[in-house]
Amino acid sequence: MSPLRVAVAPDSFKGSLDARDVAEALARGWASVRPDDEIDLVPLADGGEGTLDAFEAAVPGAVRHLVDVPGPDGRPHTASWLMLPDDVAVTELACASGLPLLAAPLPHDAHTRGLGRVVAAALDAGARRVVVGLGGSASTDAGAGVLTELGARLLDSVGEPVADGAHGLSTAVRLDASGLRPLPVDGVTALTDVQAPLLGPTGAAAVFGPQKGAGPDDVLALESSLEAFAALVDVDPATPGSGAAGGTAFGLLVWGATLAPGAAAVAEAVGAATRLRRADVVVTGEGRFDSQTAGGKVVSWVLGAVGGGGARVCLVAGVVDATTAELDPFDAVVETSELAGGAERSLAEPVAWVEAAGAALAARQPR
């Protein structure tokens, strides 16, 4: 059996395992079947959960800072951010205003004030450029919470500040940006993992609202709130990616940020493209593989990076909900919920079943 060079390059399994834990479990499973193979761990992120960890591991001199923030339901929470050399700050919505921070979904009231507090702390520390990883949001507030923490005021018909969350957007008639902090000198880049616009059937409310506890009537109300906010500002709600993270990308565009594909930015930071091209086999994965994956997720970036280079590409996912055509690019696919005999059992012991998936993929390799 000839040894193989194997690159293990997954995203996190959101709400279950971070990308490094996934990579390590896959590697252990693989090595249990093929102990002589050379395995390179390349955990990735797309701007969501794990973005800070990826930059911290890849950039020498990165310094992690902690800051107390209001979580998406207002409860106190400690979030973190990184200062990289050359005064580049990296922040992550997931660790400040992410869905797992809620005790229960709050589709109308959850907000992004925590992320705004983190960005403000980075500016106070002298950041010349801010990178904001978007993904895993608990809210659909169009980034209003971020703007509020940065000095803007969203006002109702009598000039009073509106409530936090999407509920407040529905009563807003004016955005007072006179106190909004200026962009840092080298700007702000928001890393997105989707190309969704703010509004419409593929927008923030319709596609992602149900993931945050919104029922059909809630989705209609959220859409109306987002429309009301979009009417107050001079940013096109049809901008691709503006619907990312419950529209937080849209709010950052209001501030003057630019959007960029998150998976590509993180991959560049860790030198992933070169490492994948050296491999005979690339193993990638995410918690749920479905039609949204192609919109900018890690798995789609990996497929593009490997291209026609000759490496076999294998997929591991907690759940696979895809067509045959969407699975065609992969040489092998393993679904941990299928291995475990059900999604509930897979989620109960995620490390064990991801490790089993790594072993299953190794067993399928030519000898």
Side-chain angles (χ1 to χ4, degrees):
M1 183 168 62
S2 300
L4 297 172
R5 290 170 297 182
V6 183
V8 183
D11 196 354
S12 64
F13 280 33
K14 291 179 174 57
S16 179
L17 297 173
D18 65 32
R20 177 161 292 279
D21 288 338
V22 174
E24 290 175 349
L26 288 170
R28 285 194 302 272
W30 188 285
S32 71
V33 175
R34 297 182 60 96
D36 295 329
D37 288 351
E38 175 188 331
I39 301 178
D40 181 18
L41 301 186
V42 194
L44 295 172
D46 53 19
E49 179 185 355
T51 298
L52 289 185
D53 294 338
F55 273 95
E56 186 175 37
V59 181
V63 178
R64 188 175 287 254
H65 298 268
L66 300 179
V67 58
D68 293 329
V69 305
D73 56 3
R75 292 181 301 164
H77 173 68
T78 300
S80 59
W81 61 278
L82 296 177
M83 185 71 91
L84 308 183
D86 300 324
D87 296 325
V88 175
V90 181
T91 65
E92 180 186 295
L93 182 148
C95 75
S97 303
L99 186 60
L101 302 180
L102 290 178
L106 295 171
H108 299 284
D109 299 312
H111 56 75
T112 53
R113 277 184 175 268
L115 175 62
R117 191 80 56 93
V118 172
V119 173
L123 296 176
D124 291 342
R128 294 178 58 86
R129 177 176 173 237
V130 176
V131 176
V132 184
L134 299 178
S137 171
S139 70
T140 310
D141 77 343
V146 174
L147 295 175
T148 298
E149 289 292 329
L150 293 173
R153 295 197 307 154
L154 199 57
L155 306 174
D156 63 17
S157 59
V158 295
E160 293 295 321
V162 302
D164 290 328
H167 178 69
L169 299 182
S170 65
T171 62
V173 300
R174 183 164 71 93
L175 178 68
D176 177 5
S178 60
L180 185 62
R181 297 182 66 156
L183 292 170
V185 293
D186 293 329
V188 174
T189 302
L191 305 182
T192 66
D193 61 351
V194 297
Q195 290 296 300
L198 181 69
L199 304 174
T202 60
V207 176
F208 306 109
Q211 299 173 7
K212 302 167 189 178
D217 290 341
D218 297 313
V219 167
L220 294 176
L222 292 173
E223 181 79 1
S224 178
S225 295
L226 294 175
E227 287 177 346
F229 180 61
L232 304 180
V233 300
D234 190 24
V235 173
D236 186 356
T239 302
S242 61
T248 303
F250 183 81
L252 290 171
L253 287 172
V254 171
W255 189 27
T258 58
L259 306 184
V266 174
E268 181 180 2
V270 303
T274 299
R275 294 164 70 180
L276 299 192
R277 283 195 292 266
R278 290 198 297 255
D280 301 307
V281 180
V282 175
V283 181
T284 188
E286 60 182 346
R288 182 180 184 86
F289 180 86
D290 57 22
S291 59
Q292 293 182 27
T293 298
K297 304 287 188 179
V298 163
V299 171
S300 65
W301 180 88
V302 168
L303 284 171
V306 174
R312 298 189 294 278
V313 182
C314 302
L315 171 71
V316 174
V319 174
V320 174
D321 181 13
T323 65
T324 301
E326 289 167 334
L327 295 175
D328 273 349
F330 301 102
D331 290 86
V333 176
V334 174
E335 185 177 8
T336 61
S337 59
E338 183 178 350
L339 282 181
E344 186 174 339
R345 190 176 176 199
S346 174
L347 288 169
E349 298 181 278
V351 173
W353 292 110
V354 171
E355 192 169 320
L361 286 177
R364 298 183 189 181
Q365 302 308 306
R367 295 183 175 272

